[in-house]
Amino acid sequence: MTATTPIRWGILGPGSIAQSFARGVADSRAGKLVAIGARNPAKPGLAESFPGARILDGYDALLADPDIDAVYISIPHPGHAQWAIKAAEAGKHVLCEKPLALTAFEADAMIHAARKAGTFLGEAFMYRLHPQTLKLVELIRSGVIGDIRMIKSSFGFAMPGFMPQHRLYANDLAGGGILDVGGYPVSMVRLIAGAALGQPFAEPDKVVGTAHLGQSGVDEWASALLHFPGGIVAEVSCSISLNQDNVLRILGTKGRIEVPDFWFAGGNRDVGLGQIDVIASDGTREIISVNEKRHVYSFEVDAAGEAIRAGRQEFAWPGMTWAESLGTLRVLDRWRAAAGLEYGIEKAQQRINTISGRPLRSGGTAIAKRTIPGLSKPASVVALGFEDFRTFSSGSILLDAFFEAGGNLFDTGYVYGAGYTEKLLGEWLKNRGVRAQSVVIAKGAHSPLCYPDVIGKQLDQSLDRLQTDHVDVYFMHRDNPDVPVGEFVDAMDREVKAGRIRGPFGGSNWTMERMDEAIAYAERTGKQKPGALSNNFSLAEMLEPIWAGCITSSTDAWKAWLTARQMPNFAWSSQGRGFFTDRAGRDKRDNEELVRVWYSERNFGRRDRAIELAARLGKSPIHIALAYVLAQPFPSIPLIGPRTLDELDDSLRALDITLSRADLEWLDVGSLRAA
């Protein structure tokens, strides 16, 4: 592809905004419209609305067309992630209408697919590429209205009335104002706050939102307050059932700026001249216009084309970069959560397929399986923890990907997410039908409720949340040395006999002495012996507990004990919580936890050697740290907690590293110990 080769566009979904985009392509310098993908290709008027374009039967036909370089996705929001991912897998570049996805988690999956495919992905906030936007940023940076203190922005209109079949009122099409038009004011205030702070965009440190949910359960009008570093406050609002003035107001110490209908540059879907009013403190007004007469959609067509020709995978600023799209969606996620807005299509009952729209696949081999003493079925060599997710739609993306890679070992705890982690896993196991193939770790009796009689009561609730009649591995989440250890063993043994624990049990954050005492008690009384441990274990030794009551098993004495006992250890914080990344360093002291818990010269020596070995192997130090845990001479199962698909893929890069006993010793102490 040369610098002058036109980008051949296909449009996925022939709605009204697609027609505007088509006119933008016609007026662009870099694009050519080739085809339209329609589910009803015989619909009257398609040929007239998209002159010169071939009308293809269905979206898959569009993605399979070899004469198309890039796809513009204009279908309703719920289909954005599925078809953007499929387009990337088909090698097509993608420009996707706003919002890029329903949530930041979905958008991250789309970005992950584009990154792997090497294709372009951009969010079609076309106002960002209109010359008015750059002029507005220049005015803010010039200080013409002084220091920015407040930003007010709205996008609201009134539909003729409640129309349950219209996409804006349809719950199953993710209707309402926040997703349809709320992204405009949110993305704009993030841009303006960034300009005021000398950055491409700014992230709010506080978001407070609310909304009125109408009879179909979508937000009909909504408002939010965003607070940014430096004291900048933004008020944003949107509506589909209420007319608003739709003026962007930027208030500074020396005046204000007003921009009417900024998303169309003060015009319409064809032309926006770009009017910016600068009002000084004394009330004098200067009207600035970029006087742009090109089609408003032509700018994003050209910007996408320039990126594709240059081999870039995202828009150049001030277009919506991936970081901008994710940041804007995170604000919308928080706004929706504050308003209690979750669409039915995001819940487990309706979300029966993966994010790509396909049924869950089994048989993956990227994550190997191993035999763990006491377990009746093989378990993946790493276990997945997933505390960061608060909705099924967000968490299922990672759970699906882990399972499809071969993972079947899931780490939960009674206290995680106030119970939501267990609930999410239970919904996913039932929804996907994979409970029999999965190995579920549960934990209970966390301090201060660390007593034998709590175990059964909390396990009742855990099983209810998990929608199962048993767990495969069970840990007491903390120990209570004031209670005789035999009482804990008796309580867990009762659950084994009742069939509610069908594998090993043991202690999380238990000392060596208490484990020895518990094992001896079980042997003496004929009870099931504690057969597993879940303590911290890492190449970097934990110097102080991260949280109260935590125990490390990374010392020489612990490693000898684990090896002699052949005790499985499910290792948490196995990669040192960032110690093996660029967040740490001898000269980096800004992270209190890293400094307090991991900083010692011995640990830095281990980090230095991990960096050296990683360079030799073409890996990262965190891969070496994970491989170290996996290669121990006792059953060692790391618990990993990726939050994104990129982080999951990155963790899996450690699984093809084979470390010898000599490698382990060198990483640990820097030389081989005498025999």
Side-chain angles (χ1 to χ4, degrees):
M1 183 178 293
T2 69
T4 59
T5 303
I7 305 301
R8 300 171 299 176
W9 285 93
I11 295 179
L12 196 150
S16 62
I17 199 168
Q19 296 174 37
S20 297
F21 179 80
R23 292 192 292 272
V25 174
D27 198 35
S28 72
R29 299 170 181 138
K32 176 184 178 182
L33 182 59
V34 173
I36 310 296
R39 287 181 167 169
N40 180 14
K43 183 179 179 180
L46 283 183
E48 292 75 16
S49 298
F50 302 96
R54 291 182 285 113
I55 311 299
L56 303 181
D57 186 2
Y59 304 158
D60 286 311
L62 189 76
L63 301 187
D65 194 315
D67 294 326
I68 292 173
D69 304 311
V71 173
Y72 171 71
I73 297 176
S74 62
I75 58 178
H77 321 327
H80 288 183
Q82 174 184 342
W83 288 102
I85 291 171
K86 286 184 174 180
E89 292 172 347
K92 307 298 186 188
H93 304 288
V94 172
L95 179 62
C96 184
E97 257 309 316
K98 52 76 204 165
L100 190 61
L102 297 187
T103 65
F105 296 101
E106 287 192 359
D108 178 78
M110 297 162 68
I111 292 168
H112 175 74
R115 184 181 284 116
K116 289 178 66 174
T119 52
F120 172 86
L121 172 66
E123 185 174 18
F125 273 113
M126 65 83 181
Y127 86 87
R128 293 298 289 268
L129 285 311
H130 191 283
Q132 173 186 265
T133 298
L134 189 55
K135 182 63 178 178
L136 181 60
V137 169
E138 291 171 353
L139 288 169
I140 297 300
R141 289 177 173 174
S142 75
V144 67
I145 60 169
D147 296 330
I148 306 304
R149 293 288 184 255
M150 183 171 286
I151 312 166
K152 300 182 179 184
S153 183
S154 64
F155 192 163
F157 54 89
M159 293 286 286
F162 178 66
M163 305 164 66
Q165 302 309 313
H166 194 284
R167 69 172 186 86
L168 288 175
Y169 287 100
N171 193 289
D172 60 353
L173 293 180
I178 293 176
L179 286 189
D180 193 66
V181 291
Y184 284 96
V186 168
S187 61
M188 176 56 91
V189 300
R190 294 176 71 252
L191 177 72
I192 297 305
L197 297 170
Q199 303 166 1
F201 57 87
E203 298 288 1
D205 49 32
K206 183 180 293 185
V207 176
V208 180
T210 189
H212 169 74
L213 306 185
Q215 55 186 302
S216 61
V218 307
D219 61 297
E220 296 187 5
W221 52 89
S223 292
L225 290 176
L226 285 64
H227 182 276
F228 292 92
I232 299 173
V233 174
E235 301 175 5
V236 297
S237 60
C238 61
S239 52
I240 61 171
S241 301
L242 183 69
N243 284 317
Q244 300 190 46
D245 67 2
N246 299 333
V247 176
L248 167 67
R249 294 180 174 87
I250 306 166
L251 311 180
T253 54
K254 297 180 181 179
R256 70 184 189 275
I257 289 175
E258 295 183 350
V259 187
D261 298 332
F262 68 81
W263 51 88
F264 286 141
N268 53 39
R269 282 188 174 181
D270 292 317
V271 176
L273 297 180
Q275 176 181 320
I276 302 171
D277 295 356
V278 181
I279 302 101
S281 298
D282 62 5
T284 58
R285 180 183 295 259
E286 178 186 6
I287 299 176
I288 299 172
S289 175
V290 296
N291 201 32
E292 182 56 65
K293 297 179 181 179
R294 286 180 59 194
H295 197 283
V296 291
Y297 283 85
S298 66
F299 301 104
E300 70 177 6
V301 175
D302 285 340
E306 289 167 10
I308 292 168
R309 287 169 174 171
R312 299 195 310 268
Q313 292 189 263
E314 55 186 316
F315 276 125
W317 184 90
M320 294 290 287
T321 63
W322 289 351
E324 270 247 63
S325 292
L326 287 171
T328 295
L329 275 166
R330 289 188 188 107
V331 173
L332 300 186
D333 289 346
R334 293 164 73 179
W335 191 355
R336 282 212 287 143
L341 175 55
E342 183 181 12
Y343 301 106
I345 53 171
E346 298 179 282
K347 298 178 181 179
Q349 294 87 340
Q350 294 189 47
R351 189 154 288 218
I352 59 175
N353 288 325
T354 65
I355 189 67
S356 61
R358 305 181 185 95
L360 185 70
R361 294 174 290 203
S362 59
T365 58
I367 305 175
K369 291 186 173 63
R370 66 180 300 167
T371 299
I372 296 176
L375 272 179
S376 61
K377 52 190 167 186
S380 50
V381 296
V382 294
L384 181 69
F386 45 97
E387 287 183 71
D388 293 324
F389 304 99
R390 292 296 174 268
T391 64
F392 182 84
S393 64
S394 61
S396 62
I397 296 171
L398 187 69
L399 290 166
D400 288 344
F402 180 72
F403 184 86
E404 290 194 334
N408 73 332
L409 181 58
F410 301 96
D411 178 59
T412 68
Y414 178 82
V415 299
Y416 291 164
Y420 187 74
T421 300
E422 292 181 330
K423 181 176 183 292
L424 170 59
L425 181 61
E427 288 180 335
W428 181 82
L429 291 169
K430 181 178 180 180
N431 178 284
R432 300 301 194 250
V434 294
R435 175 64 185 98
Q437 303 171 54
S438 301
V439 178
V440 176
I441 302 168
K443 305 185 192 76
H446 194 293
S447 55
L449 298 177
C450 192
Y451 298 98
D453 63 334
V454 170
I455 292 173
K457 296 173 183 176
Q458 290 189 350
L459 188 54
D460 282 340
Q461 295 180 64
S462 292
L463 294 176
D464 182 64
R465 294 167 180 166
L466 290 163
Q467 301 187 55
T468 185
D469 61 354
H470 73 282
V471 297
D472 301 285
V473 182
Y474 181 84
F475 292 111
M476 279 189 56
H477 214 157
R478 290 290 191 274
D479 190 14
N480 184 349
D482 294 333
V483 175
V485 74
E487 295 183 24
F488 288 125
V489 174
D490 289 345
M492 290 186 280
D493 182 73
R494 282 194 294 272
E495 301 302 336
V496 171
K497 289 183 168 58
R500 303 205 307 172
I501 301 174
R502 299 187 187 175
F505 64 73
S508 176
N509 298 295
W510 274 41
T511 65
M512 196 186 308
E513 293 74 20
R514 285 281 278 186
M515 284 294 289
D516 280 336
E517 187 181 350
I519 292 169
Y521 171 84
E523 290 176 335
R524 190 168 62 250
T525 59
K527 305 292 174 62
Q528 176 167 313
K529 295 188 294 186
L533 187 71
S534 185
N535 284 1
N536 166 252
F537 185 87
S538 172
L539 174 57
E541 183 178 335
M542 187 174 71
L543 308 174
E544 290 187 19
I546 300 174
W547 304 286
C550 291
I551 302 290
T552 181
S553 293
S554 299
T555 65
D556 291 341
W558 263 110
K559 284 183 276 192
W561 184 90
L562 290 164
T563 302
R565 287 273 191 190
Q566 284 299 292
M567 178 68 66
N569 183 51
F570 293 75
W572 54 265
S573 293
S574 57
Q575 293 168 292
R577 294 178 65 82
F579 181 72
F580 292 95
T581 71
D582 290 339
R583 290 170 51 207
R586 289 176 174 84
D587 60 339
K588 296 180 179 179
R589 317 285 299 185
D590 57 321
N591 187 303
E592 182 276 333
E593 181 186 286
L594 281 175
V595 173
R596 175 176 59 86
V597 176
W598 309 104
Y599 275 31
S600 72
E601 194 49 44
R602 186 176 185 185
N603 277 344
F604 274 118
R606 292 162 171 155
R607 185 176 183 273
D608 292 341
R609 291 186 289 275
I611 292 171
E612 179 184 337
L613 182 55
R616 292 206 305 264
L617 297 179
K619 302 286 187 177
S620 296
I622 57 171
H623 302 143
I624 302 301
L626 188 58
Y628 174 86
V629 176
L630 285 163
Q632 292 302 308
F634 55 86
S636 181
I637 306 95
L639 310 178
I640 62 173
R643 290 160 295 180
T644 67
L645 298 183
D646 279 342
E647 290 180 359
L648 174 61
D649 278 1
D650 189 63
S651 291
L652 301 189
R653 290 189 61 206
L655 302 188
D656 61 0
I657 300 174
T658 301
L659 298 178
S660 65
R661 293 288 179 88
D663 292 330
L664 296 180
E665 193 159 335
W666 176 75
L667 285 167
D668 188 12
V669 300
S671 61
L672 298 181
R673 296 182 178 89

